[in-house]
């Protein structure tokens, strides 16, 4: 089915945004605060800068083989048998990464919403949705993402505006206090979660994207937008909750949404974060 499907550069950008955010929106702030303390948001800024270089390399690699997927590139570069071995490793990595995502979703939903529901039931439900999307094809999946991205940005704006009054800049001080090694570890962690795994997108780009050169720019822009969203999320969690509290919570972004209280009327809207995360993941 993929052989006849093509998506636009704009649609590809939407996929890159969601792929960049993915699990990072709910899990990464914890490690960033644990490693870099109040400078965790600086680690995210540096991580996005490093990630842009990696995404640029990915896009250049893709444009060298405009009609081939990442797996097909291997045979051209390394020969039939060695290329297949590398492809098998890549596919194994993708399978394990997908399994990890199902685990994160099941654990989060089970703990926060359905503690009495077996995690396996939640995982099976999510896996069923994934299987349906694969069967329906890339175009259907991407068009759904175009719809979801609108709701995601609306929820993100709501979260940012409502939590802004509780920002405490003292939680970010002193700036650049953390040592170089912990800061670099936070940068590498951010890049690992939000950027390195983006190599899976070479299965789509540029072979199944119209206008490969425009799609290359969309690759960069999509990652930058997703990275900026993550910088804001990490900044908010640390500035509102504090670095110590952020590092202690398994889901600090979810805890952040619980802090929203506008005139004792608008409060406890943590479902906003849950919906944002499930849409992106």
């Amino acid at each position: 089915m993929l052989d006849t499907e093509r998506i636009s550069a704009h649609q590809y950008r939407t996929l890159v945004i969601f792929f960049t955010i993915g699990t990072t929106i709910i899990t990464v702030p914890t490690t960033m605060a644990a490693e870099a303390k109040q400078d965790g948001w600086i680690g995210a800024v540096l991580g996005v800068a490093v990630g842009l270089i990696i995404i640029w390399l990915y896009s250049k690699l893709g444009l060298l083989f405009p009609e081939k997927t990442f797996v097909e590139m291997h045979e051209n570069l390394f020969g039939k048998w060695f290329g297949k071995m590398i492809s098998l490793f890549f596919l194994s990595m993708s399978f394990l990464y997908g399994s990890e995502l199902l685990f994160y979703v099941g654990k989060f939903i089970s703990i926060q919403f359905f503690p009495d529901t077996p995690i396996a039931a939640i995982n099976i439900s999510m896996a069923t949705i994934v299987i349906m999307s694969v069967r329906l094809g890339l175009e259907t999946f991407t068009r759904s993402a175009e719809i979801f991205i609108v709701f995601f940005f609306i929820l993100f704006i709501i979260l940012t505006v409502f939590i802004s009054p509780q920002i405490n800049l003292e939680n970010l001080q002193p700036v650049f206090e953390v040592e170089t090694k912990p800061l670099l570890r936070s940068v590498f962690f951010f890049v690992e979660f939000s950027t390195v795994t983006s190599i899976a997108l070479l299965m789509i780009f540029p072979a199944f994207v119209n206008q490969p050169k425009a799609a290359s720019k969309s690759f960069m822009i999509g990652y930058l937008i997703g990275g900026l969203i993550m910088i804001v999320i990490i900044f908010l969690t640390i500035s509102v909750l504090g670095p110590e509290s952020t590092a202690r919570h398994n889901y600090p972004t979810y805890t952040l949404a619980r802090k929203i209280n506008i005139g004792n009327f608008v409060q406890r809207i943590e479902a906003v974060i849950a919906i944002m995360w499930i849409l992106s993941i």
Side-chain angles (χ1 to χ4, degrees), residues 21-29 152 230 233 253 273 276-277 280:
I21 297 169
T23 56
T24 57
I25 193 174
I26 201 81
T27 59
V28 165
F152 178 88
M230 286 312 308
I233 291 292
T253 316
I273 284 295
M276 286 173 61
W277 186 50
S280 65

Side-chain angles (χ1 to χ4, degrees), residues 114-127:
F114 305 114
D116 296 327
T117 302
I119 190 172
I122 299 172
N123 288 340
I124 290 172
S125 299
M126 292 299 297

Side-chain angles (χ1 to χ4, degrees), residues 220-232:
M220 298 284 290
I221 294 174
Y223 175 78
L224 180 60
I225 293 173
L228 291 175
I229 290 173
M230 286 312 308
I231 292 172
V232 172

Side-chain angles (χ1 to χ4, degrees), residues 108-208:
F108 175 77
I109 295 178
S110 178
I111 292 175
Q112 301 295 338
F113 298 103
F114 305 114
D116 296 327
T117 302
I119 190 172
I122 299 172
N123 288 340
I124 290 172
S125 299
M126 292 299 297
T128 301
I129 295 174
V130 172
I131 293 170
M132 289 174 59
S133 68
V134 171
R135 288 183 60 85
L136 289 172
L138 181 61
E139 288 185 7
T140 302
F141 175 77
T142 307
R143 288 169 183 166
S144 299
E146 284 187 291
I147 297 173
F148 292 152
I149 197 75
V150 176
F151 293 101
F152 178 88
F153 276 114
I154 291 173
L155 294 174
F156 175 71
I157 292 171
I158 290 174
L159 172 69
T160 304
V161 171
F162 283 178
I163 201 62
S164 293
Q166 298 194 42
I167 291 176
N168 182 4
L169 295 180
E170 291 183 1
N171 288 330
L172 303 174
Q173 299 173 355
V175 181
F176 288 111
E177 176 72 9
V178 70
E179 296 180 358
T180 302
K181 286 185 178 180
L183 181 61
L184 289 178
R185 283 199 300 267
S186 71
V187 172
F188 290 144
F189 178 82
F190 185 91
V191 171
E192 178 187 1
F193 259 71
S194 68
T195 311
V196 174
T197 52
S198 295
I199 196 169
L201 291 170
L202 291 180
M203 290 297 291
I204 300 173
F205 169 83
F208 303 112

